Amino acid sequence: MSMQMFSSPLLIYRLTDSKALLGTMSLVNAAPMILISVFGGVIADRLPKKKILIAGLVGSAIVAVFIGWSLSSGILNRENSDSWWILFASSAVQGCIMGLMMPALQAIIPEIVNRDQLMNAIALNTTGMNVLNLLAPGIAGFIIGDTSNFQTVYFTMSALYLVAAVFILLISAKGQIIASGNKIIGDIQQGFHYIRKDSLILLILAFTLIVTVLSMPYQQLLPIFYDDILKIGATGGGLLMSVSGVGALVGSLILAALPNKKRGAILLFSGIITGVALIIFSFSSYVTLSLIFIFFLGLGQTFRMTIGSALLQSYTQGAYMGRVMSILNMQWGFMSLCTFFAGIIAEKIDVQWVLGSLAMVLIVISVFFIIFSSNIRKVD
């Protein structure tokens, strides 16, 4: 997934030179993810989560092989001007897979560890992801290089998805939490009713959604910085994402060692950290300055992702875990929707102002939550 987040936006931008299509690919990924996530949560509450994860990983491997084959056979290339539809179709399929898989991936952790160990476990899990976020973009950028060797990256991604499926197969989920229910739509309604009644869960979901939607579109639009603003190419772009991974890794290691104290306050202040870092990164035209503040972007994103997920899993009843995680997962779909509009606007307005404006709004909203959401601020 770390290779995919780096390679797919760069590939569509290299094929089309279009900021609008770069943003539109996020929309194509977002629509099925938003729609499918709700059903993915119900399925995660009803079926063994390991089986869902293995099916999703195998499906992701097939999608990656298809793109790699399309590149190596010449069907997908710059000269074939209409071939970008292949990436759009693959992005839509990947959105469906993620919508089904991600709620189960998040909801399986309480089946493996006790609730008082959740934040540490989630932080350790995030640490593993961040190690790969640190290494994978640099490796992908090196492979792509000046020859645009994207097909090798996609074949490598496919192999890694299958390796991940093998590791999931070996996980022992001792305390499986399976909810009973007859009608899927009824279960979905029950999930929304449960979230609406619990103000703490509702506010945490709202805050994490807002931070993700306003801060994460920069990742999809990074190829503009690689090629047009910082002029560092794929190799330099891989380095930039790797430094973000270092920040995320540092953040996850800090959280893995912390006790369950003041987690709500840390979550809210992570919005300030992310917003300030994104403003400076957006307007920077200096590689060194961009490297420094993308580090803090990774740090702030890890705080938000890890603590938000830990609080939700700590305070959600087991029978509703998959449905709550499906709503959390929808943040990525809404983020992609925001990225679509950001890409369209970036055709007319400098991308620095587009992302910088989102960051300014994020800081204002984070301050609002810090002042007025005492139930989040005080929660441990």
Side-chain angles (χ1 to χ4, degrees):
M1 289 173 63
S2 299
M3 284 185 161
Q4 183 174 327
M5 286 189 293
F6 173 79
S7 302
S8 294
L10 183 59
L11 177 57
I12 189 71
Y13 192 59
R14 290 275 179 90
L15 289 173
T16 66
D17 290 324
S18 171
K19 300 180 182 71
L21 286 178
L22 180 61
T24 303
M25 192 166 77
S26 288
L27 178 64
V28 172
N29 181 263
M33 188 182 298
I34 293 171
L35 295 173
I36 298 294
S37 285
V38 180
F39 295 94
V42 175
I43 293 170
D45 282 334
R46 287 187 173 199
L47 299 177
K49 298 171 182 62
K50 282 176 58 174
K51 293 182 179 179
I52 300 171
L53 294 176
I54 292 169
L57 290 164
V58 172
S60 297
I62 293 172
V63 172
V65 163
F66 175 71
I67 298 176
W69 172 79
S70 299
L71 287 164
S72 60
S73 65
I75 296 175
L76 180 59
N77 60 54
R78 189 180 178 89
E79 286 69 35
N80 187 359
S81 59
D82 295 328
S83 63
W84 52 263
W85 72 266
I86 295 174
L87 288 177
F88 273 46
S90 301
S91 183
V93 173
Q94 190 68 47
C96 293
I97 292 172
M98 297 300 287
L100 289 171
M101 185 175 72
M102 290 305 290
L105 183 62
Q106 294 162 323
I108 198 173
I109 297 179
E111 297 183 358
I112 302 171
V113 301
N114 297 326
R115 290 209 171 200
D116 61 346
Q117 299 172 316
L118 264 176
M119 192 180 83
N120 307 89
I122 293 169
L124 287 171
N125 184 49
T126 306
T127 300
M129 293 169 59
N130 288 333
V131 168
L132 294 176
N133 286 340
L134 168 62
L135 298 175
I139 294 171
F142 177 77
I143 294 172
I144 294 168
D146 297 327
T147 60
S148 294
N149 186 19
F150 283 94
Q151 62 267 26
T152 301
V153 175
Y154 278 95
F155 288 133
T156 304
M157 282 163 46
S158 179
L160 290 172
Y161 276 126
L162 294 177
V163 171
V166 172
F167 277 110
I168 293 293
L169 185 64
L170 299 175
I171 287 177
S172 176
K174 299 175 182 177
Q176 290 191 31
I177 305 168
I178 307 293
S180 59
N182 296 317
K183 297 181 178 179
I184 289 181
I185 299 300
D187 283 354
I188 293 173
Q189 291 173 340
Q190 285 182 10
F192 280 113
H193 181 67
Y194 172 76
I195 292 169
R196 190 171 63 250
K197 285 198 310 178
D198 195 312
S199 60
L200 178 62
I201 290 175
L202 180 62
L203 286 171
I204 293 171
L205 282 170
F207 181 77
T208 53
L209 171 66
I210 291 168
V211 176
T212 302
V213 166
L214 294 176
S215 66
M216 292 303 288
Y218 88 93
Q219 282 197 337
Q220 182 77 9
L221 300 176
L222 276 176
I224 303 170
F225 288 84
Y226 305 157
D227 287 354
D228 299 340
I229 298 173
L230 300 176
K231 301 186 185 303
I232 53 179
T235 304
L239 174 62
L240 202 66
M241 283 198 70
S242 293
V243 172
S244 174
V246 173
L249 177 60
V250 170
S252 59
L253 289 173
I254 291 172
L255 293 176
L258 284 180
N260 296 335
K261 299 292 183 181
K262 304 296 183 182
R263 291 185 293 178
I266 298 172
L267 173 65
L268 295 178
F269 278 100
S270 71
I272 302 290
I273 296 171
T274 302
V276 171
L278 183 57
I279 287 175
I280 298 174
F281 175 82
S282 298
F283 291 106
S284 169
S285 57
Y286 300 99
V287 176
T288 302
L289 189 63
S290 298
L291 287 169
I292 292 171
F293 281 94
I294 204 169
F295 171 90
F296 287 102
L297 269 174
L299 185 75
Q301 294 293 356
T302 290
F303 279 5
R304 183 263 310 159
M305 182 172 65
T306 302
I307 297 177
S309 182
L311 289 176
L312 289 172
Q313 293 186 48
S314 296
Y315 291 96
T316 299
Q317 295 179 21
Y320 292 95
M321 190 68 70
R323 278 163 283 186
V324 171
M325 291 298 104
S326 72
I327 303 302
L328 179 65
N329 187 52
M330 287 171 67
Q331 66 184 322
W332 303 110
F334 286 114
M335 178 272 290
S336 297
L337 187 62
C338 182
T339 304
F340 163 70
F341 290 111
I344 297 296
I345 296 170
E347 290 283 0
K348 303 296 183 181
I349 302 173
D350 287 344
V351 70
Q352 294 101 317
W353 278 104
V354 176
L355 296 179
S357 299
L358 291 176
M360 294 173 196
V361 174
L362 171 58
I363 291 173
V364 172
I365 292 176
S366 296
V367 171
F368 178 87
F369 268 86
I370 289 170
I371 295 172
F372 295 105
S373 296
S374 59
N375 51 345
I376 296 181
R377 192 175 66 247
K378 294 178 181 178
V379 73
D380 288 329

